[in-house]
Amino acid sequence: MGTPKTKVPTPSYDKLTAHFQKISHFEHFSALGDWDQAAMMPMGGGQDRGDAMAELALHIHGLKTSDTLAEHLHGAEDESLSTEQEANLREILYQYQQANLVPGDLVQAKTKMAYQCENAWREQRKNNDWQGFKPNLKAVIDLAKEEAQIRGEAQNITPYDALLNKFEPGMTTAKLEQTFGGLKDWLPTLIQDVLTKQANEPKLVLNGPFDISAQQALGRDVMAFLGFDFNHGRLDMSSHPFCGGVPSDVRITTRYNEADFSSAIMGIVHETGHARYEQDLPQAWRGQPAGLARSMGVHESQSLFCEMQLGANPAFLRQLQPKIAQHLNCHFSAQELAQHYTRVNPGLIRVDADEVTYPCHILLRFEAEKAFVDGSLTVDDLPDFWSTQMQQLLGINTDGNYRDGCMQDIHWAVGELGYFPSYTLGAMYAAQCRFAMEKALGPIEALIDAGKLDSVFQWLREHIWSKGSLLTTDELIRQATGETLNGQYLERHLRQRYLGI
Amino acid sequence: MGTPKTKVPTPSYDKLTAHFQKISHFEHFSALGDWDQAAMMPMGGGQDRGDAMAELALHIHGLKTSDTLAEHLHGAEDESLSTEQEANLREILYQYQQANLVPGDLVQAKTKMAYQCENAWREQRKNNDWQGFKPNLKAVIDLAKEEAQIRGEAQNITPYDALLNKFEPGMTTAKLEQTFGGLKDWLPTLIQDVLTKQANEPKLVLNGPFDISAQQALGRDVMAFLGFDFNHGRLDMSSHPFCGGVPSDVRITTRYNEADFSSAIMGIVHETGHARYEQDLPQAWRGQPAGLARSMGVHESQSLFCEMQLGANPAFLRQLQPKIAQHLNCHFSAQELAQHYTRVNPGLIRVDADEVTYPCHILLRFEAEKAFVDGSLTVDDLPDFWSTQMQQLLGINTDGNYRDGCMQDIHWAVGELGYFPSYTLGAMYAAQCRFAMEKALGPIEALIDAGKLDSVFQWLREHIWSKGSLLTTDELIRQATGETLNGQYLERHLRQRYLGI
Ligand SMILES: [Zn+2]
Ligand SMILES: [Zn+2]
């Protein structure tokens, strides 16, 4: 009656969007709870928070598997929807199906155990306490394996593929092995060549101390330079840098080292890439599945675009140099900074790795996760596995150093198996985007030098950010770059930057 | 079967406690959301947060009015419960009844409007923007009046009594008018006498600047001195000091003034009083209604005990003096500090008021709230009402100064009418407790000088904190002090401290 004639009523679809809007309100609090736990919460609050988060996860799971949804999903299929509404319906259906794979009590148990394990891990990691961490990790991995089994069986795919799909819908182990296999062909030689080339280059000595609050102020300056909207987000500290919150209020964190500002600042650049994506997701689809970031691989592509394609670019460092000099009262030249940020140095820590050796850290974790899930690796054997792999991939001995070895990451501690490949997928998508962008806009280095960072972001907004989950990942990347995932662009990027060829 | 013979099964009661445990997990997030909004959230996040908080409030309301509860409440009446379980059942029933008074859509609308109004108020207050604030305040007050009407009718009490009951179960306007009426008899003369007495006393000039981070460090030191448990809480900044969070993770805030540290620090002492109460609520009743703080009047009594009975005590300031000197690098004597903190100075701002003139600020608000609810005062007329009352009560002109007049408090902005009397009830309970405590332990001044602050807190823990809501307010105060609310102790305290009689 009150509806304009031109608009065909879509009652089932409308019920679905209202229901998912409600779900997004509850997810608001799980995002807030996660951020707070990492950035603010004192240790003693962990038990209650874990219980509350588990209750909330169970409630959200209940909403996503609600009986009435099947009926509305069925009804919406026959309704006249726009292309974008069709996409939203596809994403709603996917969330419904994914949630229905797993029983609620497993969701609750996983959330509770993850909180318990993570909370203890913060101290245990500091103390290199592998014996203390081990039983928690075992419990978390067991739950993740149970989840993988259940998800895999229900979808008739392998258990590990089922985990990959949580973060990268449509991704398979086979596709990853092919992509990462290609990487294995050229990366070891490239690393050796770069190490040889850089052997005699001068090393920048970051002779701190650099005041933490000055580093923070510098970080905020860099965020503003990268277009972070402080009316819709903030910067804080946590032991493991991340980007959380919700699109209208994006919370990023970093950690500081008084002796060396370079890691905190580039961490901020990385997280700002995540944040821009979140802040610029399509306004019209806020609170709907189609309005969410496409996948964790695409998410990491945006952060790594900021960190590696932009951040480590000599032109960007020419812009950064006066800010660093001003805030930290030190006078490294732009060229010194560029050398520092492109220094290849096989090391223990993934988050501190340069972009050339970084994929090795992912290959290790990818192999370990597969082996956890197929049962060929146990938590007891993890340290040995780690040592052997680090020796093989990067020639580094990690015996006895659990803290900087298999205890360094938060992902497994919170039961997130299947996430790690996203980082290297992200690096590949980022390189692929940069080459596509340069076809349209010319060299990115010239754009930065000309003060046209805006046009870089405009390209990302148009091709990636504003699309949310309206397209599948393959279609998103194809429309943006002309082809689906192609690891060769990462190779080309690394050869250009590190060997000048 | 598995149950020991001595324990009679209580299936209905058990279902109720499980249900309220679940409710407490959702209330965890409304506490977190409130704290975050005040202490962390950027303005731009307000709309989404408000929507999410409203959704959560509706959900909690739904849980508290769930159909199955009536049945379990009925069943539990016939079960064999301990005295404490009976008390918990009484509190569960009360929460159920209170929630059932109000329809869910009003709860949601109130939460949403409160968030919108508060968010805008932060800026509007700064800008003295009464015209901008007015329509929001009207909407919030209208909703509060609607709530009062509905609650009053359903309980067959007056609308304003229904609001009082939200914060102070069992309190009535008649009882308050009697208590506050007594106050009106002696307070104006006392203020005049103190002003005369202090007229020629030297005034402490706080010639800052005092570094904000030094004030923060001092604040944390004072919190530790007062027994705040940092493993279960933290200190942050917000424009309106408050105590929030949950008992396992209590979040207090203050605001800083570079030119004058004294308000921030005593604000911290006040909020630490709230925090100790929360942190020391009975562990065995966590997550249950019987484990909650008794009422807002009792809550304010604990903060005001810390601030006024302890904090402004010369002995306490002798302990505080070296901490202030150390952190702020200034050398006010303990006697100067004691004079400063007992300086009576009729002023515009309630939260900055001394304890002698403070009740005047409450009398004004109490009259305004009653008049709002009975319709004899409109929002349009509030500024005039405020001016007249301030002139009458404290001889101060507030014409045109909305910021420091009727826009100064957060309470009405978030739709909380009926809360203000808690402050003066708290001051009365606090004085009453101090006299009772001194009967058992001797003068509090001597205890502090002897380094026996612990025994002061032990008394509060034993008589107030550990009781949660196991007793009614009257019974709690009677067991602690030998009689129910008696405003004469506040009068006696003020005469002793300010006139030496
Ligand atoms: Zn990232
Ligand atoms: Zn208070």
Side-chain angles (χ1 to χ4, degrees):
Chain A
M1 274 164 52
T3 317
K5 274 184 187 168
T6 47
K7 198 168 177 266
V8 183
T10 54
S12 293
Y13 175 78
D14 295 347
K15 284 201 181 92
L16 290 172
T17 55
H19 190 75
F20 274 79
Q21 185 72 54
K22 179 195 280 237
I23 290 173
S24 85
H25 292 149
F26 287 102
E27 285 174 336
H28 180 107
F29 294 106
S30 61
L32 179 62
D34 274 337
W35 168 81
D36 183 83
Q37 192 223 6
M40 298 288 156
M41 190 188 80
M43 281 281 286
Q47 175 80 50
D48 271 6
R49 174 63 54 79
D51 290 348
M53 289 294 282
E55 188 80 57
L56 183 60
L58 181 67
H59 180 63
I60 292 170
H61 182 264
L63 289 172
K64 286 192 181 172
T65 56
S66 156
D67 287 343
T68 57
L69 285 179
E71 184 194 322
H72 300 321
L73 279 162
H74 197 73
E77 275 171 27
D78 300 327
E79 290 173 356
S80 166
L81 303 177
S82 72
T83 311
E84 294 201 326
Q85 288 174 323
E86 290 283 3
N88 193 35
L89 183 61
R90 179 195 67 220
E91 295 300 315
I92 287 174
L93 176 64
Y94 188 75
Q95 287 212 18
Y96 169 76
Q97 288 169 335
Q98 287 288 310
N100 265 297
L101 297 174
V102 193
D105 53 359
L106 180 58
V107 171
Q108 196 175 22
K110 264 202 75 184
T111 311
K112 221 163 180 163
M113 191 60 222
Y115 253 71
Q116 191 180 319
C117 182
E118 181 191 352
N119 234 20
W121 165 78
R122 289 175 197 283
E123 283 302 305
Q124 287 161 343
R125 189 193 166 196
K126 278 184 207 154
N127 306 324
N128 200 35
D129 178 12
W130 169 246
Q131 292 306 323
F133 181 56
K134 202 161 65 173
N136 283 348
L137 183 61
K138 271 185 187 164
V140 167
I141 298 267
D142 280 348
L143 287 168
K145 283 172 71 171
E146 189 184 337
E147 185 191 358
Q149 203 63 44
I150 292 172
R151 282 179 179 269
E153 253 170 43
Q155 298 175 95
N156 202 21
I157 57 178
T158 71
Y160 188 63
D161 280 2
L163 293 183
L164 289 175
N165 271 263
K166 285 176 65 183
F167 308 104
E168 203 62 31
M171 187 49 70
T172 64
T173 309
K175 200 168 163 188
L176 270 185
E177 275 173 347
Q178 192 191 6
T179 311
F180 289 181
L183 221 153
K184 277 187 208 160
D185 291 340
W186 54 264
L187 189 60
T189 324
L190 180 70
I191 294 174
Q192 284 317 311
D193 291 351
V194 177
L195 287 175
T196 307
K197 180 165 184 287
Q198 295 188 344
N200 297 317
E201 281 179 12
K203 277 182 191 151
L204 190 63
V205 179
L206 291 168
N207 45 356
F210 304 101
D211 183 55
I212 302 291
S213 60
Q215 290 191 46
Q216 276 172 330
L218 168 62
R220 292 206 171 85
D221 223 1
V222 174
M223 287 164 74
F225 180 63
L226 289 168
F228 183 93
D229 177 358
F230 282 96
N231 190 38
H232 292 284
R234 41 181 292 140
L235 168 70
D236 294 281
M237 238 185 278
S238 71
S239 58
H240 207 282
F242 71 99
C243 171
V246 294
S248 63
D249 183 2
V250 177
R251 310 281 175 102
I252 72 170
T253 68
T254 193
R255 70 249 172 291
Y256 298 94
N257 176 355
E258 269 217 329
D260 176 357
F261 64 84
S262 68
S263 166
I265 296 309
M266 207 45 93
I268 287 174
V269 172
H270 177 98
E271 301 305 337
T272 302
H274 283 303
R276 290 292 324 252
Y277 188 12
E278 287 288 318
Q279 289 184 333
D280 287 76
L281 283 167
Q283 198 74 38
W285 293 98
R286 285 279 164 92
Q288 293 299 315
L292 298 174
R294 179 58 277 183
S295 74
M296 293 323 296
V298 176
H299 228 309
E300 291 302 335
S301 81
Q302 298 311 292
S303 53
L304 289 169
F305 189 97
C306 258
E307 181 185 354
M308 297 307 180
Q309 301 299 332
L310 276 183
N313 189 301
F316 186 83
L317 293 162
R318 283 191 283 275
Q319 304 278 341
L320 205 58
Q321 193 274 338
K323 295 182 203 297
I324 293 175
Q326 178 213 328
H327 283 284
L328 306 182
N329 197 24
C330 64
H331 297 278
F332 306 111
S333 70
Q335 204 198 340
E336 284 174 318
L337 291 169
Q339 268 181 347
H340 179 73
Y341 278 119
T342 51
R343 163 83 49 202
V344 174
N345 185 19
L348 291 164
I349 307 290
R350 176 184 59 83
V351 293
D352 290 336
D354 59 83
E355 62 182 326
V356 180
T357 59
Y358 197 106
C360 297
H361 295 272
I362 299 308
L363 290 173
L364 183 162
R365 287 157 178 81
F366 176 53
E367 295 302 329
E369 291 186 338
K370 284 191 295 179
F372 274 141
V373 174
D374 74 19
S376 60
L377 177 65
T378 65
V379 169
D380 283 316
D381 294 334
L382 179 61
D384 282 344
F385 176 91
W386 200 278
S387 285
T388 311
Q389 290 268 319
M390 281 300 280
Q391 196 63 55
Q392 239 171 7
L393 288 160
L394 292 169
I396 299 177
N397 187 318
T398 67
D399 286 346
N401 187 351
Y402 308 105
R403 180 174 42 201
D404 301 328
C406 59
M407 283 179 78
Q408 70 182 269
D409 292 310
I410 199 173
H411 305 61
W412 292 343
V414 298
E416 284 188 6
L417 273 70
Y419 188 104
F420 281 119
S422 311
Y423 293 108
T424 291
L425 289 173
M428 289 172 169
Y429 287 135
Q432 191 168 337
C433 279
R434 203 255 296 167
F435 282 103
M437 182 188 290
E438 290 192 336
K439 261 192 210 157
L441 307 177
I444 200 169
E445 184 159 355
L447 290 170
I448 305 170
D449 275 331
K452 290 183 177 165
L453 216 49
D454 271 3
S455 59
V456 171
F457 291 133
Q458 185 47 42
W459 191 96
L460 293 173
R461 184 185 295 110
E462 188 184 329
H463 292 90
I464 307 288
W465 302 344
S466 69
K467 303 293 185 189
S469 287
L470 290 165
L471 306 173
T472 63
T473 306
D474 275 355
E475 193 53 24
L476 177 76
I477 300 300
R478 205 189 54 70
Q479 289 191 16
T481 70
E483 57 186 309
T484 56
L485 176 65
N486 182 346
Q488 289 177 359
Y489 291 103
L490 179 61
E491 182 184 0
R492 196 187 301 177
H493 159 67
L494 295 178
R495 285 193 191 281
Q496 274 184 355
R497 176 173 284 169
Y498 291 88
L499 297 175
I501 51 175
Chain B
M1 273 162 51
T3 318
K5 274 185 189 167
T6 47
K7 196 167 180 269
V8 183
T10 54
S12 293
Y13 175 78
D14 294 348
K15 284 203 181 92
L16 290 171
T17 56
H19 190 77
F20 274 79
Q21 186 71 57
K22 179 195 281 237
I23 290 173
S24 84
H25 291 149
F26 287 102
E27 286 174 335
H28 180 108
F29 293 107
S30 61
L32 179 62
D34 273 338
W35 167 82
D36 182 83
Q37 193 224 4
M40 298 288 155
M41 191 189 78
M43 282 280 286
Q47 175 78 50
D48 271 5
R49 175 63 54 80
D51 290 347
M53 290 294 282
E55 187 79 56
L56 183 61
L58 181 67
H59 180 62
I60 291 170
H61 182 265
L63 289 172
K64 285 191 181 171
T65 55
S66 156
D67 287 341
T68 58
L69 284 179
E71 182 194 326
H72 299 320
L73 280 161
H74 197 74
E77 277 172 25
D78 300 328
E79 290 173 355
S80 167
L81 302 177
S82 71
T83 311
E84 295 200 326
Q85 287 174 323
E86 290 283 3
N88 194 34
L89 184 60
R90 180 196 66 221
E91 295 300 317
I92 287 174
L93 177 64
Y94 187 75
Q95 287 213 18
Y96 169 75
Q97 288 170 334
Q98 287 288 311
N100 266 297
L101 297 174
V102 193
D105 54 0
L106 180 59
V107 171
Q108 196 176 21
K110 263 201 76 184
T111 311
K112 221 162 178 162
M113 191 60 222
Y115 254 71
Q116 190 181 320
C117 182
E118 180 191 353
N119 233 22
W121 165 79
R122 289 177 197 284
E123 283 302 306
Q124 287 161 344
R125 190 194 166 196
K126 279 185 207 153
N127 305 326
N128 199 36
D129 178 12
W130 169 246
Q131 292 307 325
F133 181 56
K134 203 161 64 173
N136 283 348
L137 182 62
K138 272 185 187 164
V140 167
I141 298 268
D142 280 348
L143 287 168
K145 283 173 70 172
E146 188 183 339
E147 184 190 0
Q149 203 63 43
I150 292 172
R151 282 179 179 270
E153 253 171 44
Q155 298 174 95
N156 201 21
I157 57 178
T158 70
Y160 188 63
D161 281 3
L163 293 183
L164 289 174
N165 271 263
K166 285 176 66 183
F167 308 105
E168 204 62 31
M171 186 51 69
T172 63
T173 309
K175 201 168 162 188
L176 270 185
E177 275 173 347
Q178 192 191 7
T179 311
F180 288 0
L183 221 153
K184 278 188 208 158
D185 291 340
W186 54 265
L187 190 60
T189 324
L190 180 69
I191 293 175
Q192 285 316 312
D193 291 350
V194 178
L195 287 175
T196 307
K197 180 166 185 287
Q198 294 188 346
N200 298 315
E201 280 180 13
K203 277 181 192 152
L204 190 62
V205 179
L206 290 169
N207 43 358
F210 304 101
D211 182 56
I212 302 291
S213 61
Q215 290 191 48
Q216 275 172 329
L218 168 62
R220 292 206 170 84
D221 223 2
V222 174
M223 287 164 74
F225 180 65
L226 289 168
F228 183 93
D229 177 357
F230 282 96
N231 190 37
H232 292 285
R234 43 180 292 143
L235 168 69
D236 293 281
M237 238 185 277
S238 71
S239 58
H240 206 282
F242 72 99
C243 171
V246 294
S248 64
D249 183 3
V250 177
R251 309 282 174 101
I252 72 171
T253 68
T254 193
R255 70 250 172 290
Y256 298 94
N257 175 353
E258 269 218 328
D260 176 356
F261 64 85
S262 68
S263 166
I265 296 310
M266 208 46 93
I268 288 174
V269 172
H270 177 99
E271 302 305 335
T272 302
H274 283 303
R276 289 293 321 253
Y277 188 13
E278 287 288 317
Q279 289 185 333
D280 287 76
L281 283 167
Q283 198 73 40
W285 293 97
R286 285 277 165 92
Q288 292 300 315
L292 298 173
R294 180 58 278 184
S295 73
M296 291 326 296
V298 176
H299 228 309
E300 291 302 335
S301 81
Q302 297 312 292
S303 53
L304 289 168
F305 190 97
C306 259
E307 180 185 354
M308 298 305 182
Q309 302 298 331
L310 276 183
N313 190 300
F316 185 84
L317 292 163
R318 284 192 282 277
Q319 303 279 341
L320 206 57
Q321 192 273 337
K323 295 183 205 297
I324 292 175
Q326 178 212 328
H327 283 284
L328 305 182
N329 197 25
C330 63
H331 297 277
F332 306 110
S333 71
Q335 205 198 337
E336 284 174 317
L337 291 169
Q339 269 180 346
H340 179 73
Y341 278 118
T342 52
R343 162 84 49 203
V344 174
N345 185 18
L348 292 164
I349 307 291
R350 177 185 58 83
V351 293
D352 290 336
D354 60 83
E355 62 181 327
V356 180
T357 58
Y358 197 106
C360 297
H361 294 272
I362 300 307
L363 290 173
L364 184 161
R365 287 157 179 79
F366 176 53
E367 295 303 328
E369 290 186 340
K370 283 191 294 180
F372 274 140
V373 173
D374 74 20
S376 60
L377 177 64
T378 64
V379 169
D380 283 317
D381 294 335
L382 180 61
D384 282 346
F385 176 91
W386 201 278
S387 283
T388 312
Q389 289 270 320
M390 281 300 282
Q391 195 64 53
Q392 239 170 2
L393 288 160
L394 293 169
I396 299 177
N397 187 316
T398 66
D399 286 344
N401 187 352
Y402 307 104
R403 179 173 45 198
D404 300 329
C406 61
M407 284 180 76
Q408 70 182 271
D409 292 309
I410 197 173
H411 305 62
W412 292 343
V414 298
E416 284 187 8
L417 272 70
Y419 188 105
F420 282 118
S422 310
Y423 294 107
T424 291
L425 288 173
M428 290 173 168
Y429 286 136
Q432 192 168 337
C433 279
R434 204 255 296 168
F435 282 102
M437 183 189 291
E438 289 193 335
K439 262 191 207 157
L441 307 176
I444 200 169
E445 183 158 355
L447 290 171
I448 304 170
D449 275 332
K452 290 181 178 166
L453 215 50
D454 272 2
S455 60
V456 172
F457 291 133
Q458 184 48 40
W459 192 96
L460 293 173
R461 185 186 293 110
E462 188 184 328
H463 292 89
I464 307 288
W465 303 343
S466 69
K467 302 293 185 190
S469 287
L470 289 164
L471 306 173
T472 62
T473 306
D474 274 356
E475 193 53 24
L476 176 77
I477 299 300
R478 207 191 51 72
Q479 289 191 17
T481 71
E483 56 187 309
T484 56
L485 177 65
N486 183 345
Q488 291 177 359
Y489 291 103
L490 178 61
E491 182 184 1
R492 196 188 299 176
H493 159 68
L494 295 178
R495 285 193 190 283
Q496 275 184 357
R497 176 173 284 170
Y498 291 87
L499 297 174
I501 51 174

